[in-house]
């Protein structure tokens, strides 16, 4: 019973935890979360795809006409693509609430869902 | 063996185990007279996966060997590859690596102290330890960008620099952790709940520890002076003064004290590194492929020595990558600790080596009679799985 004082001291303190969906911690600067690709800067070199450890990036099309796909279910949020990109076209935002409330049937398999970055078509 | 002995299986699924592993205890009444350990329930084929990935992709796979020792494994990986690529991380990067590695030790030892308290039924201490562990996790999130699986290293340096703001926040956090650790040390020495369950339990003599090649805090708790940071310094450890902690009680209490003292020592190392942080770049460019060759590196993970072996063949993918996680080095001494003890002390004795089962699992077939060993191909494993009801 050597902890009594400590325990009494903490009786009047707030809980150390927060109630998550209702309050959430401030994301820190440099959080590695949602991947965003600026498709206009992309030169289609494919370095990010070559370096991605989780195979979460895919190129659709070829060279300067390509679009990019990012699979959030496969992504491990390591940020290697951000570093590998020679044109700084990829960045990570602090948006981390990427889970969906849709049922598995309507959303498809999580790993098969993707975010597509489309190049605007020239007229 | 008389007829009064019974065999008691513990695991693979058991409330006392956090991860699946099987221990077959032969008991005579309450006393354990023999232990058989069976590994392999959480084998993930990690080493094979390295052969299909480039060195850059491997950086993130290696972290997944163990979520808690992520930094130690990654540090071992880059220490292994850098000499093969003939690059060297600049001094500032080496210091930042040391700081993150020590923060990880703080988080791992606090986690362990909580788990050990939980195993002996002292859940109050468990909650307090894990609350304080949050401080180190937050610091690591600030420095590297993630709470666990930090991905702090890259081949040839570190990925993020320490800013002045980060340094002052780290200092504050470490001061708080140091205060708390000193309190825990006082508590461990005074609290009967801990001492009654820890003193004289799971004895591993100095001779046995040395003979069975115990590693890390388990060896140091049996008074074996063994620490890679002292014996074969890597990163910035050769420039940082710190004490090698040993205790000679050789029991669970000794393992608790070693870890608590190491917490204070780690805090001192971090403070020293922050004071003497060199200026300069944090990384150099590294080539993508490695000329044919092989290398071995050793790093002191929170649980003990972590040994990596790499064989390159001139391409950007390794031909063979082998990981010896620290827990594997402690199984032999684990069996020794259990023999002669009581069944009720099994959970805390198991927890005392800080086991990490999934780091350790390997698959090899060995014929115990002839000593012959062989391995299976993926196809053979699939065939075996289908034959036994798998898909």
């Amino acid at each position: 019973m050597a902890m009594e004082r400590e325990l009494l001291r903490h009786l009047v303190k707030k809980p150390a935890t927060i109630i998550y969906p209702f309050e959430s911690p401030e994301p820190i600067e440099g959080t590695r979360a949602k991947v965003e690709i600026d498709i206009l800067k992309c030169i289609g070199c494919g370095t990010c795809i070559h370096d991605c450890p989780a195979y979460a990036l895919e190129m659709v099309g070829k060279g300067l006409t390509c679009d990019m796909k990012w699979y959030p279910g496969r992504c491990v949020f390591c940020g290697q693509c951000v570093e590998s990109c020679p044109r700084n076209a990829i960045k990570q935002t602090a948006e981390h609430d990427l889970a969906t409330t849709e049922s598995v049937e309507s959303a498809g398999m999580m790993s098969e869902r993707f975010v597509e970055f489309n190049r605007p078509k020239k007229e | 063996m008389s007829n009064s002995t019974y065999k008691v299986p513990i695991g693979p699924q058991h409330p006392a185990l956090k991860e699946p592993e099987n221990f077959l205890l032969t008991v005579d009444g309450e006393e354990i007279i023999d232990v058989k350990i069976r590994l392999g329930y959480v084998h993930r084929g990690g080493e094979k996966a390295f052969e299909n990935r480039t060195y850059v992709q491997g950086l993130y796979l290696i972290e997944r060997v163990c979520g808690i020792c992520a930094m130690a494994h990654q540090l071992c990986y880059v220490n292994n590859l850098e000499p093969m690529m003939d690059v060297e991380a600049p001094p500032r990067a080496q210091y930042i690596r040391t700081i993150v590695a020590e923060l990880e030790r703080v988080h791992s030892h606090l986690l362990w102290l909580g788990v050990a308290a939980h195993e002996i039924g002292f859940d109050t201490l468990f909650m307090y330890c894990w609350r304080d562990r949050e401080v180190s996790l937050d610091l690591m999130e600030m420095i590297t960008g993630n709470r666990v699986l930090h991905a702090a290293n890259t081949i040839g340096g570190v990925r993020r620099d320490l800013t002045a703001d980060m340094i002052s926040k780290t200092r504050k956090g470490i001061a708080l952790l140091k205060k708390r650790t000193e309190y825990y040390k006082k508590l461990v020495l005074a609290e009967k709940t801990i001492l009654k369950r820890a003193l004289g339990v799971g004895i591993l003599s100095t001779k046995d520890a040395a003979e069975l090649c115990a590693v890390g805090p388990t060896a140091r708790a049996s008074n074996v002076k063994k620490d890679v940071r002292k014996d074969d310094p890597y990163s910035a450890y050769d420039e940082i003064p710190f004490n090698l902690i040993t205790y000679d009680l050789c029991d669970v209490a000794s393992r608790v004290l070693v870890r608590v003292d190491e917490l204070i020592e780690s805090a001192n190392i971090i403070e020293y590194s922050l004071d003497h942080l060199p200026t300069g770049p944090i990384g150099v460019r590294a080539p993508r492929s490695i000329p044919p060759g092989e290398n071995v590196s050793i790093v002191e993970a929170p649980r003990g020595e972590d040994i990596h072996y790499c064989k390159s063949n001139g391409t950007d993918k390794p031909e063979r990558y082998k990981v010896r996680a620290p827990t594997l080095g402690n199984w032999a001494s684990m069996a020794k600790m259990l023999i002669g003890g009581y069944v009720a002390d099994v959970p805390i004795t198991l927890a005392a080596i800080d086991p990490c089962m999934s780091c350790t699992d390997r698959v090899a077939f060995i014929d115990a009679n002839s000593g012959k060993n062989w391995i299976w191909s993926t196809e053979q494993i699939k065939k075996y799985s289908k034959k036994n009801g798998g898909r």
Side-chain angles (χ1 to χ4, degrees):
Chain A
M1 292 296 279
M3 275 189 95
E4 294 136 330
R5 288 174 129 226
E6 180 80 5
L7 295 175
L8 285 173
R9 207 161 59 79
H10 281 87
L11 264 183
V12 291
K13 283 198 173 175
K14 273 201 311 187
T17 48
I18 56 167
I19 316 157
Y20 166 60
F22 307 109
E23 17 173 342
S24 67
E26 279 286 299
I28 56 134
E29 199 187 330
T31 304
R32 297 198 302 261
K34 192 180 175 185
V35 170
E36 277 185 1
I37 303 170
D38 185 350
I39 196 72
L40 291 176
K41 281 189 192 168
C42 177
I43 52 167
C45 65
T47 315
C48 52
I49 295 160
H50 186 257
D51 279 354
C52 179
Y55 310 111
L57 289 164
E58 196 190 344
M59 199 189 285
V60 193
K62 234 176 166 186
L64 285 170
T65 58
C66 77
D67 293 337
M68 291 288 295
K69 274 183 187 174
W70 170 60
Y71 293 84
R74 296 184 202 164
C75 185
V76 294
F77 303 97
C78 64
Q80 181 60 44
C81 51
V82 181
E83 262 174 44
S84 294
C85 185
R87 288 287 186 274
N88 295 326
I90 309 178
K91 66 173 187 196
Q92 277 183 303
T93 62
E95 191 186 333
H96 59 272
D97 270 338
L98 300 174
T100 174
T101 47
E102 290 170 49
S103 67
V104 175
E105 285 79 22
S106 63
M109 284 291 286
M110 182 59 189
S111 64
E112 294 314 314
R113 288 172 61 232
F114 56 82
V115 181
E116 194 160 2
F117 300 92
N118 290 315
R119 197 176 287 274
K121 295 278 172 292
K122 266 188 206 156
E123 203 35 64
Chain B
M1 242 178 252
S2 67
N3 289 334
S4 62
T5 60
Y6 287 91
K7 284 199 161 67
V8 180
I10 293 188
Q13 274 77 41
H14 192 273
L17 300 172
K18 300 285 168 288
E19 286 175 87
E21 220 66 53
N22 179 253
F23 302 91
L24 189 62
L25 311 176
T26 308
V27 294
D28 184 2
E30 269 288 294
E31 199 185 330
I32 300 162
I33 50 175
D34 193 24
V35 185
K36 276 208 174 83
I37 300 171
R38 193 188 150 184
L39 310 175
Y41 293 94
V42 266
H43 182 259
R44 297 168 293 175
E47 285 177 5
K48 191 75 190 165
F50 278 105
E51 293 166 23
N52 302 323
R53 281 168 170 78
T54 62
Y55 291 110
V56 176
Q57 289 175 320
L59 267 173
Y60 307 101
L61 183 63
I62 195 74
E63 284 194 308
R64 274 127 187 109
V65 170
C66 177
I68 298 171
C69 320
M71 177 68 192
H73 278 290
Q74 212 186 30
L75 192 54
C76 203
Y77 183 79
V78 292
N79 280 349
N80 200 351
L81 299 187
E82 278 168 9
M84 294 172 89
M85 290 181 174
D86 210 12
V87 293
E88 201 185 343
R92 190 175 173 88
Q94 302 282 21
Y95 267 77
I96 295 174
R97 282 176 181 177
T98 311
I99 291 166
V100 181
E102 286 307 315
L103 273 173
E104 189 182 70
R105 197 180 312 279
V106 169
H107 123 74
S108 175
H109 281 1
L110 277 174
L111 173 136
W112 177 83
L113 190 58
V115 170
H118 172 70
E119 296 292 358
I120 59 173
F122 190 7
D123 273 3
T124 317
L125 182 60
F126 163 60
M127 293 287 176
Y128 275 73
C129 283
W130 279 46
R131 182 200 63 187
D132 293 333
R133 172 176 162 260
E134 285 298 306
V135 177
S136 64
L137 287 176
D138 287 346
L139 288 177
M140 277 191 284
E141 186 184 16
M142 179 185 71
I143 295 172
T144 64
N146 227 347
R147 284 157 56 86
V148 283
L149 303 170
H150 324 290
N153 295 301
T154 181
I155 302 164
V158 288
R159 295 171 73 192
R160 290 187 186 183
D161 201 0
L162 276 178
T163 60
D165 182 43
M166 284 180 188
I167 292 175
S168 72
K169 276 187 186 159
T170 311
R171 270 186 219 280
K172 261 188 219 155
I174 287 302
L176 175 73
L177 282 174
K178 220 167 151 180
K179 217 175 87 190
R180 295 297 304 170
T181 312
E182 270 153 17
Y183 168 73
Y184 288 133
K185 191 177 178 191
K186 232 164 57 190
L187 184 75
V188 166
L189 291 171
E191 179 67 53
K192 276 187 200 146
T193 323
I194 300 172
L195 293 178
K196 289 223 163 177
R197 291 295 307 274
L199 273 177
V201 171
I203 297 279
L204 179 74
S205 67
T206 310
K207 191 169 155 275
D208 286 339
E211 276 175 3
L212 297 169
C213 300
V215 292
T218 312
R220 293 195 284 277
S222 293
N223 206 11
V224 178
K225 290 185 175 51
K226 193 166 161 186
D227 190 327
V228 183
R229 293 175 292 169
K230 279 274 186 219
D231 302 337
D232 184 12
Y234 51 92
S235 293
Y237 286 110
D238 49 346
E239 296 166 22
I240 301 170
F242 68 97
N243 300 323
L244 200 159
I245 312 284
T246 52
Y247 274 87
D248 55 2
L249 290 169
C250 304
D251 57 3
V252 173
S254 179
R255 278 157 224 149
V256 176
L257 289 170
V258 161
R259 288 196 173 90
V260 172
D261 276 0
E262 275 186 14
L263 279 171
I264 300 171
E265 213 51 51
S266 289
N268 289 339
I269 294 176
I270 295 169
E271 280 177 349
Y272 183 93
S273 314
L274 290 173
D275 288 339
H276 297 79
L277 195 65
T279 50
I282 55 160
V284 290
R285 269 189 86 86
R288 281 183 175 262
S289 54
I290 300 182
E294 52 187 354
N295 197 15
V296 172
S297 66
I298 311 180
V299 155
E300 182 77 17
R303 295 170 160 88
E305 301 173 7
D306 182 19
I307 305 172
H308 286 198
Y309 165 82
C310 178
K311 186 177 180 196
S312 61
N313 54 5
T315 63
D316 60 352
K317 289 172 186 167
E319 190 169 302
R320 175 83 173 97
Y321 203 86
K322 162 87 191 147
V323 178
R324 206 293 312 259
T327 309
L328 195 65
N330 274 334
W331 283 126
S333 32
M334 165 90 259
K336 189 88 193 168
M337 281 177 216
L338 287 171
I339 293 169
Y342 294 119
V343 176
D345 289 332
V346 169
I348 182 64
T349 316
L350 282 177
I353 66 159
D354 202 357
C356 187
M357 320 291 193
S358 53
C359 305
T360 297
D361 276 350
R362 301 288 179 273
V363 172
F365 298 92
I366 297 167
D367 189 335
N369 297 324
S370 64
K372 199 182 126 198
N373 66 44
W374 68 97
I375 50 168
W376 271 4
S377 70
T378 323
E379 285 308 310
Q380 282 170 310
I381 292 172
K382 274 185 191 160
K383 221 164 123 189
Y384 177 79
S385 163
K386 272 182 197 153
K387 209 175 92 188
N388 286 280
R391 279 188 291 154

